[in-house]
Amino acid sequence: MKITYSIVAPIYNEIETLPLLYSRVKEVMDSSGEPWELILVDDGSTDGSTEKIRELAQADKTVRPVIFARNFGHQIAITAGWDYARGDAIVIIDADLQDPPETILELAKKWKEGYEVVYAVRAEREGESWFKLWTASLFYRLIYRITDVKIPVDTGDFRLMDRKVVDVLKKMNERHRFPRGMSAWVGFKQIGVTY
């Protein structure tokens, strides 16, 4: 069966949120009526997340586990998700539900209009301290000054990318990966969706 959507979620000690992440992604993706898979990349969890991922995969064949022997970091987990993704569109989402899975369908609408990278833009950063907001703002401004890569402000890794974009990213040999910067750098037709 041809997979339309691959949802990639890096997991590190998310035992509490895993069942909710799974149920919300399943509800959203089942409503799309298109074939999908959920790739849960366990980045060396020590809290029982590994066993929960295996349990979910045993119960539902749309769940595909990728289990690391140790913690390699968020960016490497995203890269592993790209390697295992079979879909025409690949969505990166954090497991802690700071980004709502329900937004995936909004990202998919823009993809169907011909955009190849559709990144989610937070309208508000609820519950974050002024220091966190200030440092995030400073980070993007610093990146703009030292590189020619224009990473959209108020975006994280939550995005949908067309298969051809992911295929290009997989060929990049960077040792220190920064997926949101890489997806901006490679070009392609891009747009943001505010949530």
Side-chain angles (χ1 to χ4, degrees):
M1 168 176 61
K2 187 160 175 47
I3 304 291
T4 304
Y5 299 104
S6 294
I7 316 304
V8 175
I11 309 292
Y12 181 69
N13 292 341
E14 295 288 350
I15 188 70
E16 299 296 323
T17 58
L18 263 169
L20 187 55
L21 170 71
Y22 165 74
S23 66
R24 284 179 63 184
V25 167
K26 180 172 177 46
E27 182 178 343
V28 167
M29 298 316 299
D30 282 351
S31 76
S32 76
E34 299 190 64
W36 60 278
E37 63 184 357
L38 175 59
I39 300 171
L40 299 175
V41 184
D42 179 28
D43 189 18
S45 295
T46 58
D47 69 343
S49 293
T50 307
E51 293 74 23
K52 186 63 178 175
I53 290 168
R54 288 189 171 122
E55 181 183 307
L56 290 168
Q58 188 70 28
D60 184 344
K61 296 303 175 202
T62 61
V63 176
R64 296 184 58 220
V66 177
I67 311 294
F68 288 176
R70 68 168 181 87
N71 180 264
F72 287 94
H74 188 78
Q75 313 305 324
I76 299 301
I78 289 173
T79 302
W82 292 343
D83 289 340
Y84 282 87
R86 300 176 294 183
D88 295 325
I90 294 84
V91 176
I92 306 299
I93 189 167
D94 286 337
D96 62 6
L97 295 171
Q98 66 177 326
D99 303 311
E102 295 75 16
T103 305
I104 294 171
L105 298 181
E106 295 301 313
L107 303 178
K109 281 182 195 172
K110 292 296 181 185
W111 174 62
K112 290 178 180 179
E113 289 174 14
Y115 291 95
E116 296 148 318
V117 176
V118 186
Y119 50 87
V121 182
R122 290 185 187 121
E124 293 179 21
R125 297 179 72 97
E126 197 174 296
E128 292 186 353
S129 70
W130 68 269
F131 182 75
K132 168 73 170 130
L133 296 172
W134 179 76
T135 56
S137 174
L138 183 64
F139 168 78
Y140 285 108
R141 273 112 192 118
L142 182 62
I143 289 291
Y144 287 166
R145 283 194 181 269
I146 64 174
T147 72
D148 61 351
V149 178
K150 301 302 178 218
I151 301 169
V153 177
D154 293 325
T155 62
D157 292 316
F158 187 28
R159 65 193 58 234
L160 179 151
M161 293 176 290
D162 188 88
R163 160 61 50 197
K164 63 185 163 194
V165 175
V166 171
D167 287 345
V168 168
L169 294 172
K170 286 168 51 175
K171 291 177 184 172
M172 296 172 73
N173 293 323
E174 277 68 20
R175 287 191 64 204
H176 302 288
R177 294 179 157 273
F178 183 48
R180 78 184 81 148
M182 292 166 65
S183 66
W185 181 80
V186 294
F188 294 97
K189 191 173 178 186
Q190 306 196 12
I191 193 169
V193 169
T194 302
Y195 70 98

